[in-house]
Amino acid sequence: MLRTESYTLERARAFVAACFHDLVDKPTQPFVSRTDWPDLEIAEQRGLAGEHLSELEDEIATGNLTPQRKTWVTTLLRQHGIEPASLPDNVAHDLSLGMLRVQAEQDRLFMFRLGDRLARYVPTDSLFIEQARAPASPVAPTSSAELLPTGPRLGDLADAYLAQGRRKWTAKTLKSNTAKLAVMLDHFGRDRFAETITAQDVRGYRDAVRRLHKNYRLGIGKTMRERQTDTESHQLSAKTASLIFESCKAFLRWAKADAYITANPATDIRVEVGKTSKRKAPTRRPFTPDELKVLFEAPNFTGFKSPRRRFEPGSLVVRNAYYWVPLIGLYTGMRLGEIIQLHMGDLHLDGPHPYIDVSEDADPKADTADVKHVKSDAGIRRVPVHPDLIKLGFREFVRGRQKDRRTRTRLFWEVGYGADGQPSSIFSKWFGRLLGKVGLTDPALVFHSFRHGMEDAFRNALTPQYVIDRIIGHADGAVSSQYGQGVSLEVAYRAVADLRIGFDAVSLLASQAHRGSDGGPTMAPPPPEYQH
């Protein structure tokens, strides 16, 4: 294997000579005259070959290759699995001149065979004479195939890696890794033999990623080099570049672990990322009681104009996903994705301790598009349902939807999954618009702020941390948590039922269930989802 780390002139000579001997041993078609003057035809062929040989000898003597010849040499080396651009200049120059000497000797062989097809050919170039006389050894093989890269090409190996990942990654992770590996393939080329990638190649790729323009994804049809910029202010951040590069490192680790390559050339190579300030403002924080009041007094919860004008005040209250999901987040601290992906069978609200089953278990009749994913083992849990949710009519809402189980699998079926395959993507964007409409524009306020609020409410109630972790779905890291069945549902429910979150949603919203179209009282509550 001709690798940069083990490059020597002796190995270069052996490789070039082996390429020539491959040509000598390859059967060729005899010259067949097409006219009645074969001697003239042979003389013409010999003359053309002589002119070509003269041009090659001039370029070999001066070391200056014409652009056409450089293209030919690059193509020839690539056929042998060698990418000239990835080699140091001196190595690429040696091999390029070697390929010219192979071509020149091939012209001499052609002219010799025009006169004699059976006699043993004796090379003219001393390089090939020396190698012909040298004893066979690992340094001087008799065939170039012994020096050529083996194993899969980079593109095929990346496809296998992604196919394996498809069975264990989320759709979002698969899409992200596919995009990041595409950058690597643009740099090295899909046809590059994976075994030929060296540590120097990986360093070059790292530096190329670091120079990528912030908008490199918009460069459709551009080469990897054209996507880069030398203007530092326009380059990717070190953190983003590191994420792209780490995907390449993970791929090469996998290739080494599965014995597709003999060594991992990316070991200890990384993108340096500067330390972030410890005084950086938190990216998320809980809602204050006043902010919760502003949020749940919005028309979305108290009455809006029409389904298409949900942010404008009116008399219509639609108790669907856009009504219940924020309330579930408020009273349970569940992750948004966990709520959106709930199946009908995950709701258990009729027992003495109503709860939501968070798991990856799916309805056998569920569509494959409704697959569930839980972030970690600790995330698989039973979350008690706060009594306030029951008072607000959540049980009636669930019962109404469970009647449609023949055609619906998910409880909140009207909220689709995002293009990234994540159940939270679409609703998260809608919730951000809702916050903006009511004036809650602090970027630290997001749906996950409900989760932070529940954590704080539990701590303020002096709830033991192991109980909090069980309900919220965090791993505490303690060895003791690996023993027994953990906190019982009864204990967890009592902790939730006694919790005070600092905001009374019942007083604000419960009356909506009995409000008429004119705002006055009705004799009986209307259907649970659509109310005037």
Side-chain angles (χ1 to χ4, degrees):
M1 186 88 50
L2 191 61
R3 298 176 65 93
T4 303
E5 292 92 337
S6 60
Y7 173 77
T8 63
L9 287 176
E10 184 62 24
R11 288 188 64 82
R13 282 193 291 267
F15 175 77
V16 172
C19 289
F20 167 71
H21 287 294
D22 284 350
L23 295 174
V24 173
D25 295 336
K26 184 178 180 181
T28 58
Q29 294 295 325
F31 174 76
V32 178
S33 175
R34 298 181 181 180
T35 70
D36 295 332
W37 300 279
D39 292 343
L40 292 178
E41 288 186 63
I42 291 174
E44 181 182 19
Q45 291 295 319
R46 185 175 282 110
L48 292 173
E51 291 178 7
H52 188 252
L53 174 61
S54 179
E55 294 174 359
L56 288 171
E57 289 175 336
D58 289 342
E59 293 182 31
I60 292 171
T62 62
N64 295 322
L65 282 66
T66 63
Q68 295 84 355
R69 201 80 67 196
K70 288 180 180 178
T71 300
W72 173 81
V73 167
T74 297
T75 301
L76 186 60
L77 287 175
R78 283 175 176 168
Q79 290 174 356
H80 288 278
I82 298 174
E83 177 56 57
S86 68
L87 300 173
D89 292 342
N90 63 320
V91 177
H93 182 72
D94 290 345
L95 293 181
S96 296
L97 289 182
M99 291 297 100
L100 290 190
R101 292 172 73 170
V102 170
Q103 184 66 61
E105 199 63 37
Q106 186 180 23
D107 285 345
R108 299 187 188 102
L109 172 61
F110 173 75
M111 290 188 286
F112 177 81
R113 292 292 179 224
L114 285 174
D116 191 335
R117 288 191 51 78
L118 294 178
R120 183 179 181 83
Y121 175 72
V122 179
T124 300
D125 193 312
S126 60
L127 172 62
F128 307 128
I129 295 175
E130 291 174 3
Q131 291 296 329
R133 293 173 180 171
S137 69
V139 175
T142 57
S143 170
S144 64
E146 298 176 34
L147 280 168
L148 300 184
T150 58
R153 296 181 186 272
L154 202 59
D156 295 333
L157 197 55
D159 291 342
Y161 175 65
L162 294 171
Q164 188 177 109
R166 188 174 288 108
R167 297 192 291 270
K168 59 182 180 180
W169 297 335
T170 64
K172 182 178 181 180
T173 300
L174 176 63
K175 182 178 180 180
S176 175
N177 285 340
T178 300
K180 291 170 184 173
L181 286 184
V183 178
M184 179 194 72
L185 294 176
D186 282 347
H187 180 81
F188 291 117
R190 290 185 60 89
D191 292 333
R192 176 78 177 270
F193 284 98
E195 185 64 36
T196 66
I197 296 178
T198 67
Q200 180 174 343
D201 295 332
V202 175
R203 286 193 295 272
Y205 173 63
R206 175 201 62 189
D207 296 341
V209 170
R210 193 64 186 85
R211 291 192 299 268
L212 281 173
H213 195 283
K214 292 178 180 178
N215 296 326
Y216 75 93
R217 295 184 186 87
L218 302 180
I220 299 176
K222 291 184 178 181
T223 65
M224 179 66 174
R225 185 66 189 92
E226 291 171 338
R227 296 169 190 258
Q228 299 171 39
T229 176
D230 293 327
T231 305
E232 292 188 9
S233 60
H234 293 168
Q235 293 172 348
L236 292 177
S237 68
K239 182 177 180 180
T240 302
S242 178
L243 291 174
I244 296 174
F245 182 67
E246 286 301 319
S247 182
C248 170
K249 291 185 65 175
F251 164 69
L252 291 174
R253 282 196 300 271
W254 168 84
K256 169 62 172 62
D258 276 17
Y260 288 112
I261 57 178
T262 57
N264 180 4
T267 303
D268 298 329
I269 300 175
R270 62 180 58 86
V271 174
E272 295 295 335
V273 179
K275 294 183 180 180
T276 56
S277 173
K278 293 183 179 180
R279 296 183 179 180
K280 183 179 179 181
T283 56
R284 295 165 180 168
R285 66 169 177 82
F287 290 98
T288 66
D290 288 342
E291 289 169 337
L292 289 174
K293 186 173 185 297
V294 169
L295 173 60
F296 287 102
E297 283 181 342
N300 179 72
F301 303 99
T302 58
F304 50 85
K305 204 154 195 174
S306 71
R308 292 182 178 273
R309 302 168 74 177
R310 203 171 187 114
F311 299 132
E312 298 180 29
S315 61
L316 180 64
V317 177
V318 180
R319 294 181 164 224
N320 60 4
Y322 296 95
Y323 179 93
W324 286 112
V325 170
L327 285 169
I328 295 172
L330 172 69
Y331 280 106
T332 68
M334 290 173 60
R335 299 177 178 92
L336 177 55
E338 293 174 341
I339 301 172
I340 299 298
Q341 70 182 6
L342 286 174
H343 286 190
M344 299 287 186
D346 294 333
L347 284 299
H348 305 271
L349 307 180
D350 294 327
H353 309 115
Y355 70 93
I356 298 171
D357 188 9
V358 180
S359 73
E360 294 185 342
D361 297 335
D363 187 320
K365 299 179 181 179
D367 191 290
T368 54
D370 291 331
V371 65
K372 295 190 293 181
H373 175 73
V374 180
K375 185 175 182 180
S376 65
D377 290 342
I380 297 175
R381 63 201 190 279
R382 293 182 295 178
V383 180
V385 174
H386 196 286
D388 282 4
L389 278 176
I390 302 299
K391 293 178 182 177
L392 287 168
F394 185 55
R395 180 186 284 127
E396 289 71 26
F397 164 77
V398 172
R399 285 174 178 171
R401 291 224 156 174
Q402 286 177 336
K403 292 179 182 179
D404 292 332
R405 288 195 65 183
R406 292 172 300 171
T407 56
R408 307 290 188 186
T409 300
R410 289 192 295 120
L411 178 66
F412 298 116
W413 48 262
E414 66 267 48
V415 181
Y417 283 21
D420 57 2
Q422 294 297 295
S424 60
S425 298
I426 292 177
F427 196 94
S428 179
K429 293 177 182 178
W430 175 86
F431 189 73
R433 292 197 298 273
L434 172 62
L435 293 178
K437 290 290 184 179
V438 298
L440 300 178
T441 57
D442 184 346
L445 291 177
V446 293
F447 192 92
H448 210 74
S449 295
F450 291 133
R451 191 168 172 83
H452 287 265
M454 280 292 286
E455 289 261 14
D456 283 353
F458 277 127
R459 294 191 188 103
N460 292 334
L462 303 181
T463 306
Q465 188 62 46
Y466 64 88
V467 177
I468 300 175
D469 291 337
R470 183 65 175 175
I471 298 171
I472 291 294
H474 282 160
D476 60 12
V479 175
S480 60
S481 65
Q482 301 175 22
Y483 293 83
Q485 296 297 316
V487 176
S488 69
L489 177 61
E490 181 180 359
V491 170
Y493 179 78
R494 190 181 311 121
V496 170
D498 294 341
L499 197 64
R500 296 295 175 263
I501 61 175
F503 171 68
D504 186 2
V506 175
S507 298
L508 177 65
L509 302 177
S511 62
Q512 302 298 327
H514 301 276
R515 194 180 69 183
S517 59
D518 59 354
T522 59
M523 295 300 295
E529 287 196 38
Y530 298 91
Q531 300 167 2
H532 286 277

